[in-house]
């Protein structure tokens, strides 16, 4: 009887210990994390000089007669200069003054001011930036002020459900702290070929951009970078491992990536069956660019890439990220499946140009809209066969006032389909000033029509 009682007590003790351990996994407070990291988070304010044209009515002969030389814009070609300010966040990575932030925080800035938690302020300069991952490296001269670099974690070790803390300057509210969990990993938002976001339900708002996403040890696991305004509890961060891979290149001022010269598409069960594959893992080569590295090495459309230098490739996005991590000129071993047989092909990589990713094509002079091509993943996700992605809309334009926004997908203009930036700009240019521009768009996955007068 005593032996049975002892066994029951032992089981109860083990159960109680497990329960206490599980309970302790949820911290009572994040205050220690905040105290240990707050000094490494910075406020970034930028100033841009923008030129705006004087409203057309002031160029009218009637107004010129009435106002004479007092017309706004007189003497400077009808343009006036304005200062545009914005706020963002960043974090210190070394005592010499290197700071990581988002590219969009500092893009085009004429002045960058970094403010520390102790109120010290410094002018900063851009060392390197990478629009394709929205990362930037800036630098300050600390002038004897001791900086507090944050520790960088291994984001591959972070798991869905882990606690995370975001620190930044949302809406100008300095050093705001929010907490949540990692909701998902490997998210693609359609913002570029290297999408690989961590999703979190920690509150992130405009101004958090560039700030750190921390684990409960106070280590950086991600760089807060994106929100979906219509979503509640949806924030996104760039995994810190992606930043660590790019850091040596950012320090040189220029990020260059390897380039195969192929277009790829995802595999599904039917495609895999048709190609005689055992599963749908790998990247299907849909087309090969003539004269580019892949074509020169003998890679063909219909090949399925399953490994690079022995590293398994499970998807088309993984292929793009793996090749992009190599330096141009590097020779890699590409393992493909062709006609049911594996083969290794050595390819000397080229250099990925700015326009080979999602860089916008040059618009026509009268277009207030900048668009870029859709990738295969976005077309598959929205079940569309064409269209263009809106990268920027002039906020003073009729298009913006009518409701067109960054991230919208334009399917047709004035009932004519568009399948590339050049076709969009060509059709837009044909519309006479004052006539209606009629667009069919997908906005956050929902179809709608937008109409406005061309300026």
């Amino acid at each position: 009887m005593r032996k049975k009682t002892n066994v029951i007590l032992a089981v109860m003790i083990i159960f109680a210990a497990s329960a206490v351990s599980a309970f302790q996994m949820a911290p009572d407070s994040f205050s220690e994390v905040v105290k240990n990291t707050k000094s490494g988070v910075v406020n970034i304010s930028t100033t841009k000089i923008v030129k705006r044209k004087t409203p057309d009515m002031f160029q009218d002969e009637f107004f010129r007669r009435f106002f004479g030389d007092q017309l706004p814009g007189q003497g400077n070609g009808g343009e006036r200069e304005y200062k545009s300010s914005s706020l963002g966040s960043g974090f210190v990575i070394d005592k010499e003054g290197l700071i990581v932030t988002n590219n969009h925080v500092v893009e085009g800035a004429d002045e960058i001011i970094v403010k520390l938690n102790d109120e010290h302020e410094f002018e900063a300069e851009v060392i390197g930036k990478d629009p394709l991952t929205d990362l930037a490296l800036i630098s300050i001269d600390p002038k004897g002020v001791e900086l507090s670099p944050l520790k960088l974690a291994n984001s591959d070790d972070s798991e869905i459900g882990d606690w995370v803390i975001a620190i930044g300057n949302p809406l100008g509210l300095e050093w705001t702290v929010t907490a949540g969990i990692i909701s998902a990993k490997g998210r693609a938002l359609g913002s570029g070929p290297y999408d690989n976001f961590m999703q979190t339900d920690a509150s992130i708002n405009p101004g958090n951009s560039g700030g750190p996403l921390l684990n409960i040890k106070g280590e950086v696991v991600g760089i807060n970078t994106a929100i979906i305004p219509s979503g509640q509890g949806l924030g996104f961060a760039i995994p810190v491992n992606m930043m660590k891979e790019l850091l040596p290149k950012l320090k040189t001022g220029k990020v260059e990536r390897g380039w195969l010269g192929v277009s790829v598409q995802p595999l599904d069960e039917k495609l895999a069956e048709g190609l005689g594959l055992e599963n749908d893992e790998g990247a299907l080569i849909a087309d090969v660019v003539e004269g580019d590295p892949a074509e020169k090495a003998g890679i063909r459309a219909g090949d399925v890439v399953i490994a690079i230098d022995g590293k398994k490739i499970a998807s088309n996005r993984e292929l793009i990220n793996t090749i992009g991590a190599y330096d141009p000129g590097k020779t890699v071993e590409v393992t493909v499946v062709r006609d049911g047989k594996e083969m290794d092909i050595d390819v000397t990589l080229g250099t990925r140009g700015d326009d080979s990713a999602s860089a916008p094509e040059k618009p026509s002079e009268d277009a207030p809209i900048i668009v870029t091509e859709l990738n295969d993943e976005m077309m598959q996700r929205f079940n569309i066969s064409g269209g263009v992605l809106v990268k920027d809309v002039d906020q003073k334009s009729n298009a913006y006032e009518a409701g067109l926004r960054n991230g919208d997908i334009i399917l047709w203009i004035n009932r004519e389909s568009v399948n590339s930036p050049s076709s969009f700009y060509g059709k837009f240019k044909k519309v006479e000033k004052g006539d209606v521009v009629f667009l069919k768009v997908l906005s956050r996955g929902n179809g709608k029509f937008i109409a406005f007068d061309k300026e």
Side-chain angles (χ1 to χ4, degrees):
M1 182 68 180
R2 178 179 290 181
K3 185 175 181 181
K4 186 176 180 180
T5 303
N6 289 341
V7 170
I8 293 172
L9 285 172
V11 170
M12 291 177 65
I13 290 169
I14 292 171
F15 178 79
S18 299
V20 169
S21 176
F23 179 78
Q24 287 177 342
M25 289 177 66
D28 293 327
S29 171
F30 297 103
S31 61
E32 285 302 312
V33 175
V34 176
K35 289 175 185 175
N36 294 332
T37 59
K38 199 173 181 181
S39 297
V41 183
V42 303
N43 176 312
I44 299 175
S45 58
T46 63
T47 304
K48 299 178 184 179
I49 305 298
V50 294
K51 292 182 179 181
R52 293 180 182 170
K53 289 184 178 180
T54 303
D56 289 343
M57 69 176 183
F58 291 125
Q59 309 302 325
D60 188 90
E61 184 61 28
F62 171 80
F63 284 95
R64 287 187 175 279
R65 282 181 177 179
F66 189 80
F67 288 103
D69 293 337
Q70 303 303 312
L71 270 173
Q74 284 287 87
N76 64 354
E79 288 186 336
R80 299 183 66 182
E81 288 188 347
Y82 297 84
K83 284 188 176 182
S84 172
S85 299
S86 61
L87 291 172
S89 307
F91 59 94
V92 180
I93 61 170
D94 73 10
K95 289 183 175 292
E96 283 65 50
L98 288 180
I99 293 167
V100 170
T101 187
N102 284 147
N103 177 66
H104 76 260
V105 171
V106 297
E107 180 69 26
D110 293 295
E111 182 182 53
I112 304 170
I113 300 296
V114 168
K115 183 179 179 182
L116 305 182
N117 183 238
D118 63 6
E119 302 298 320
H120 280 97
E121 292 189 2
F122 306 90
E123 285 192 18
E125 63 174 336
V126 176
I127 301 299
K129 55 186 181 178
D130 180 37
L132 293 181
T133 56
D134 197 19
L135 286 170
L137 186 67
I138 63 176
S139 177
I140 62 172
D141 179 0
K143 299 175 181 176
V145 175
E146 187 173 353
L147 301 179
S148 303
L150 298 186
K151 293 181 180 179
L152 307 181
N154 180 353
S155 52
D156 289 343
D157 292 339
S158 299
E159 297 185 5
I160 296 171
D162 283 354
W163 286 102
V164 284
I165 304 99
I167 305 180
N169 305 284
L171 307 174
L173 301 171
E174 298 179 342
W175 288 278
T176 294
V177 180
T178 57
I181 61 169
I182 296 175
S183 306
K185 295 177 70 176
R187 290 294 197 208
L189 303 180
S191 61
Y194 299 103
D195 276 13
N196 180 28
F197 293 105
M198 302 174 76
Q199 181 181 327
T200 177
D201 63 352
S203 295
I204 294 176
N205 291 285
N208 271 114
S209 293
L213 188 69
L214 305 163
N215 61 22
I216 56 175
K217 297 178 183 177
E219 302 167 331
V220 180
V221 294
I223 299 95
N224 301 321
T225 190
I227 59 171
I228 297 179
S230 61
Q232 296 294 320
L234 293 176
F236 299 90
I238 302 164
V240 75
N241 282 11
M242 182 178 288
M243 185 277 287
K244 288 193 285 187
E245 288 177 0
L246 287 174
L247 191 56
K249 295 181 180 181
L250 288 169
K251 287 180 178 179
T252 68
K254 188 175 184 181
V255 175
E256 290 188 332
R257 290 181 168 85
W259 173 247
L260 268 179
V262 298
S263 58
V264 293
Q265 70 180 78
L267 278 170
D268 57 28
E269 289 184 7
K270 290 296 182 184
L271 284 170
E273 185 179 343
L275 291 165
L277 302 174
E278 294 180 0
N279 54 55
D280 58 2
E281 292 187 351
L284 174 60
I285 304 297
D287 199 10
V288 179
V289 180
E290 186 177 353
D292 274 11
E295 192 262 347
K296 289 179 180 178
I299 291 176
R300 303 176 189 171
D303 288 349
V304 176
V305 179
I306 59 171
I308 300 291
D309 282 341
K311 178 187 176 183
K312 184 180 177 181
I313 298 296
S315 66
N316 59 321
R317 192 172 60 180
E318 194 169 336
L319 174 64
I320 293 170
N321 285 328
T322 300
I323 292 297
Y326 283 106
D327 290 326
K330 171 76 173 177
T331 298
V332 298
E333 183 182 76
V334 181
T335 303
V336 304
V337 176
R338 180 187 298 169
D339 299 328
K341 298 178 181 179
E342 283 190 22
M343 60 177 66
D344 296 325
I345 302 174
D346 288 336
V347 183
T348 300
L349 302 177
T351 303
R352 180 165 198 148
D354 290 339
D355 61 348
S356 61
S358 58
E361 205 168 296
K362 185 178 179 181
S364 60
E365 292 180 0
D366 58 350
I369 308 161
I370 296 177
V371 299
T372 188
E373 289 187 3
L374 289 171
N375 57 39
D376 293 334
E377 187 176 340
M378 289 189 72
M379 287 193 284
Q380 185 180 43
R381 180 165 41 143
F382 293 112
N383 195 28
I384 54 178
S385 58
V388 290
L389 179 68
V390 177
K391 296 293 286 186
D392 193 29
V393 187
D394 185 343
Q395 294 188 16
K396 304 182 296 296
S397 68
N398 290 342
Y400 187 89
E401 192 171 318
L404 190 65
R405 295 292 185 269
N406 297 357
D408 288 351
I409 296 173
I410 299 175
L411 299 174
W412 53 248
I413 175 171
N414 289 359
R415 303 186 185 280
E416 292 186 39
S417 297
V418 293
N419 296 303
S420 68
S422 57
S423 72
F424 170 79
Y425 292 128
K427 291 176 173 58
F428 187 90
K429 193 171 185 179
K430 289 179 183 178
V431 181
E432 297 290 334
K433 288 188 177 181
D435 287 351
V436 173
V437 178
F438 187 37
L439 304 178
K440 183 179 181 181
V441 306
L442 276 178
S443 182
R444 310 194 194 289
N446 297 314
K448 69 176 183 179
F449 296 100
I450 291 176
F452 56 90
D453 292 334
K454 183 176 179 183
E455 297 152 285

